[in-house]
Amino acid sequence: MPFANHRGQRIHYTVEGSGPLIVLQHGLLLDAASWKQCGVVDALADRFRVVCVDSLGHGLSDKPADPALYNQAQRAGDVVAVIDDLGDARAHVVGHSMGGWVAVGVARFFPARLASLAIGGWDFLSGLPRGNAGPLTYGAFITFARRTVPELAEWVTPDLEGGVRACFNALGQVDGAKDAVLSSRVPVLLWNGQDDGPHAPMQRFAAENGLYAMSVPGDHLGALLQHGAAIGRGIGSFVGRG
């Protein structure tokens, strides 16, 4: 069971397949195994070495409560630590939702480690969605998750909630994201579910800036959990262009 070590924290990851390295970073409340369960890994592993990373605070990775450990530079460094542990210089980095935020962090702080960048379900221009009362809060998020997708939130026990809260709160950091994406000097794919909030702004941003775009059916989670195989095939085609 492989772990990378970074800033005193253990970061768990899985490896399947062989070929060019693709690193997948999941969203909030999910884990590395979710990429396999939804079909993304199986759609890629016949041509690529697919690495799924348990984000800090999730899965089998360490789950500290200290918010200082969850800023974007350190989380991007966790991904780079996995790439280092595998002995590779660069990787195709793919992220969904919170994982998209982490992937943008790799572009911002470690651009030389990217072979390509694929961001799904994350509006890096605006960050967290807003309601009439302002930006989405952790309390509103976790309450909604426990009501609508209890199977994803049931692992967030009181002793682990500090890390999940820190993950969520860090997502407000979007400064420098646009410049990082546009100056990355690697192919960039923006992918979203058609019923997801980031779909329209990110598809428009891709068209305006000559980036690749992919649109699949479904909302924020449904696109991934119900159409993972199609997403995997799309990512494989994008990476294969290089």
Side-chain angles (χ1 to χ4, degrees):
M1 188 176 297
F3 288 85
N5 288 281
H6 180 230
R7 62 207 165 87
Q9 305 299 317
R10 296 199 317 158
I11 305 298
H12 172 256
Y13 64 91
T14 64
V15 184
E16 189 166 336
S18 61
L21 176 62
I22 296 180
V23 175
L24 306 178
Q25 181 66 81
H26 62 80
L28 198 63
L29 302 183
L30 298 178
D31 58 15
S34 62
W35 293 105
K36 177 72 172 180
Q37 293 162 357
C38 72
V40 173
V41 172
D42 288 346
L44 292 168
D46 61 333
R47 292 180 291 154
F48 303 99
R49 183 168 39 138
V50 185
V51 172
C52 304
V53 179
D54 273 329
S55 177
L56 189 72
H58 292 71
L60 298 179
S61 291
D62 286 346
K63 301 176 180 64
D66 184 359
L69 295 171
Y70 290 87
N71 69 56
Q72 193 176 39
Q74 295 197 58
R75 301 283 292 289
D78 293 340
V79 173
V80 172
V82 170
I83 298 171
D84 286 342
D85 204 51
L86 292 163
D88 285 59
R90 300 194 303 163
H92 302 278
V93 176
V94 178
H96 176 255
S97 193
M98 177 185 71
W101 175 82
V102 174
V104 169
V106 178
R108 184 181 178 200
F109 297 104
F110 305 95
R113 309 306 300 273
L114 288 173
S116 71
L117 177 66
I119 304 164
W122 177 247
D123 184 341
F124 54 80
L125 301 177
S126 302
L128 290 166
R130 299 179 66 90
N132 293 333
L136 181 66
T137 65
Y138 173 75
F141 163 76
I142 198 67
T143 298
F144 179 78
R146 285 175 169 147
R147 184 175 68 248
T148 59
V149 282
E151 67 277 12
L152 296 184
E154 62 187 1
W155 67 270
V156 186
T157 53
D159 59 316
L160 300 180
E161 190 153 22
V164 178
R165 182 188 299 272
C167 279
F168 179 91
N169 289 338
L171 297 177
Q173 182 183 353
V174 295
D175 52 303
K178 176 181 176 181
D179 289 343
V181 171
L182 292 180
S183 64
S184 62
R185 298 185 180 180
V186 297
V188 176
L189 170 69
L190 305 183
W191 56 279
N192 297 275
Q194 295 166 2
D195 299 321
D196 194 4
H199 182 272
M202 291 294 95
Q203 296 285 304
R204 183 167 57 249
F205 186 88
E208 292 171 350
N209 292 281
L211 308 180
Y212 295 101
M214 177 171 64
S215 178
V216 296
D219 56 17
H220 189 68
L221 273 179
L224 181 67
L225 300 182
Q226 298 169 20
H227 302 280
I231 290 171
R233 290 192 295 269
I235 290 169
S237 296
F238 162 70
V239 171
R241 291 187 180 103

